[in-house]
Amino acid sequence: MARRFVDLSVALEAGIASDPPQMLPKIDYHTHKDTAPQIAAYFPGLTSADLPGGDGWAVERLEISTHNGAHLDAPWRHHSTMNGGEKAWTIDEVPLEWCCQPGVKLDFRHMEDGYLVTAADVEAELKRIGHDLRPLDIVVVNTSAGEAYGRDDYLLKGCGMGREATLHLLERGVRVTGADAWSWDAPFALTARKWAETRDPSIIWEGRRASIDIGYCHMEKLAGLDQLPGSGFQISCFPWKIKGASAGFVRAVAMFED
Ligand SMILES: N[C@@H](CC(=O)c1ccccc1NC=O)C(=O)O
């Protein structure tokens, strides 16, 4: 039996519209030509001419936040408490068991930017793909943001998972979800417009705040969801173990046993 992999993570990349301007990642690439003196520092007397082709080593320095690139948000990201009053788990406390499970893909690409997905929308899509949710299924949502990654309109793209839809998944035992958009919730700028009209603060991060009731994790900035069927694959998305952090980078991968 051959195993096939689909990469579900965007590359961490500088110079594209992946995040708001003040939150963009910075990557300083030190090339082989730049670094020969770094090696020479360990071997007094060595010159670049002694190295093959004059090459030193390649290394990069990053200036990033835990929310740049494809990442898994821990319950701690969503609120300081989870499960009705317990201290919320940070990323290093998330059970590994949550992060390698059967995957389910919901296709919501046709939904309008900023539309708030309901529990009925989730049920209708599960019926269409013929899947009954099981505890710990990893549910990923393909929105219109997926194909806009890196474009100037990326931050405004995609429907949002509302509180009702999020709780619907959590009440069925789902503990890890994901989207290919900048956020699990609706794009911030669109929620801000609604807030300016209503002044109702409960609409801000309404999907992720479901974690206050039932702690869960979600991935953001996924890629390649259009290549997945509705079900029939595993997802692996172990996060970087960053002590006490709100999120960890993930190389999310879908695996098929063909
Ligand atoms: N909506 C996303 C992304 C986000 O908030 C973010 C992305 C890059 C850098 C910083 C971010 N947020 C706060 O510092 C999240 O909640 O992780």
Side-chain angles (χ1 to χ4, degrees):
M1 216 193 284
R3 186 176 270 190
R4 193 163 52 86
F5 300 93
V6 176
D7 192 347
L8 303 182
S9 285
V10 298
L12 181 68
E13 186 178 343
I16 58 166
S18 59
D19 294 288
Q22 69 280 14
M23 298 175 181
L24 286 170
K26 293 194 184 94
I27 309 178
D28 192 6
Y29 291 88
H30 298 257
T31 66
H32 304 90
K33 296 295 174 227
D34 303 332
T35 59
Q38 293 179 11
I39 298 191
Y42 289 93
F43 301 95
L46 188 94
T47 67
S48 309
D50 298 320
L51 299 169
D55 272 8
W57 48 47
V59 64
E60 298 76 35
R61 285 198 74 85
L62 309 179
E63 198 182 308
I64 54 176
S65 113
T66 40
H67 300 270
N68 288 129
H71 62 279
L72 183 72
D73 279 349
W76 181 250
R77 168 65 168 167
H78 312 318
H79 194 259
S80 55
T81 64
M82 66 178 199
N83 299 340
E86 296 167 25
K87 184 205 156 287
W89 286 337
T90 50
I91 199 66
D92 48 325
E93 295 173 314
V94 168
L96 295 178
E97 190 198 6
W98 284 15
C99 305
C100 192
Q101 292 289 341
V104 179
K105 194 270 300 267
L106 308 180
D107 188 352
F108 290 157
R109 284 176 295 180
H110 55 286
M111 288 178 179
E112 229 176 278
D113 299 335
Y115 170 77
L116 274 186
V117 173
T118 65
D121 294 329
V122 171
E123 271 312 304
E125 175 64 356
L126 287 169
K127 194 167 171 212
R128 188 187 71 80
I129 64 174
H131 185 78
D132 286 327
L133 279 181
R134 285 178 294 241
L136 297 187
D137 276 351
I138 296 179
V139 177
V140 291
V141 178
N142 194 181
T143 76
S144 65
E147 54 117 28
Y149 181 68
R151 262 178 17 205
D152 285 348
D153 59 348
Y154 177 61
L155 295 173
L156 293 170
K157 295 296 292 174
C159 56
M161 294 298 284
R163 172 178 169 79
E164 188 204 37
T166 307
L167 274 178
H168 189 77
L169 298 173
L170 305 184
E171 282 161 0
R172 278 150 193 80
V174 171
R175 289 295 177 269
V176 172
T177 67
D180 48 14
W182 187 71
S183 182
W184 176 248
D185 288 273
F188 241 12
L190 304 181
T191 308
R193 265 181 229 162
K194 272 192 206 164
W195 181 80
E197 286 159 22
T198 63
R199 298 271 153 176
D200 174 6
S202 73
I203 68 171
I204 300 169
W205 270 12
E206 68 156 78
R208 74 180 70 205
R209 297 287 197 187
S211 198
I212 296 171
D213 300 332
I214 304 176
Y216 83 102
C217 295
H218 65 234
M219 291 176 275
E220 292 169 332
K221 299 197 199 86
L222 292 177
L225 299 185
D226 56 329
Q227 293 170 52
L228 300 177
S231 63
F233 54 92
Q234 289 276 126
I235 290 182
S236 160
C237 57
F238 297 109
W240 268 35
K241 196 172 175 182
I242 305 174
K243 189 79 185 166
S246 60
F249 311 109
V250 276
R251 184 67 179 263
V253 175
M255 292 172 289
F256 296 79
E257 305 288 347
D258 288 332

